[in-house]
């Protein structure tokens, strides 16, 4: 409904043996980040990330903030639109094991939202 605040959820299952990075991170690492396209009459709040775990990475000699297993990122969205629309989102991430990292990547996806008249 127009003006209603929605909470959109992105569920992520990280492959066993891998992790993705959370915040805070030293320079040079790619933190997991959710971004959305800007649309007229649509306000997105900042994404809400779960608390990351600290992981000692022997190959780097550093302890970093990471996510592993299943996590959920939520995004508050308020629409003033009077028509159906699709919110496009991008997830930036870098998957690593304790000994090696894959190249940083992005995942594009969309949330179709339908306008409902107030009763």
């Amino acid at each position: 409904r127009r003006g209603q605040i929605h909470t959109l959820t992105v569920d992520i299952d990280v492959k066993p043996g891998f992790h993705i990075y959370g915040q805070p991170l030293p320079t040079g690492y790619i933190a997991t980040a959710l971004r959305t396209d800007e649309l007229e009459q649509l306000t997105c709040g900042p994404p809400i990330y779960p608390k990351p775990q600290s992981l000692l990475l022997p190959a780097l000699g550093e302890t970093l903030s990471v996510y592993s297993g299943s996590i959920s990122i939520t995004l508050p969205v308020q629409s003033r639109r009077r028509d159906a629309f699709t919110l496009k989102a991008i997830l930036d991430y870098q998957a690593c094991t304790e000994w090696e990292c894959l190249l940083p990547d992005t995942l594009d996806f969309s949330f179709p939202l339908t306008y409902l008249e107030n009763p």
Side-chain angles (χ1 to χ4, degrees):
R1 290 183 168 70
R2 184 175 163 90
Q4 182 176 359
I5 297 175
H6 306 276
T7 300
L8 303 178
T9 303
V10 176
D11 293 321
I12 301 170
D13 290 321
V14 180
K15 185 176 178 178
F18 282 83
H19 60 266
I20 56 178
Y21 292 111
Q23 289 284 1
L25 276 181
T27 303
Y29 294 93
I30 306 298
T32 302
L34 181 64
R35 302 180 281 131
T36 58
D37 284 350
E38 291 185 23
L39 291 174
E40 190 174 316
Q41 297 184 323
L42 184 75
T43 304
C44 292
I48 301 167
Y49 300 92
K51 182 178 178 180
Q53 306 160 342
S54 293
L55 178 64
L56 173 61
L57 299 169
L60 303 174
E62 292 186 276
T63 299
L64 300 173
S65 298
V66 302
Y67 301 116
S68 59
S70 297
I71 66 165
S72 294
I73 302 170
T74 58
L75 180 71
V77 176
Q78 184 176 30
S79 173
R80 300 250 178 241
R81 299 176 68 102
R82 292 190 179 272
D83 56 350
F85 65 96
T86 299
L87 176 62
K88 294 183 181 182
I90 298 169
L91 182 72
D92 298 310
Y93 68 97
Q94 184 172 23
C96 301
T97 68
E98 288 186 25
W99 301 101
E100 66 180 327
C101 283
L102 303 177
L103 292 174
D105 206 352
T106 60
L107 177 63
D108 298 344
F109 52 97
S110 55
F111 296 100
L113 298 171
T114 304
Y115 173 73
L116 299 174
E117 290 286 342
N118 287 327

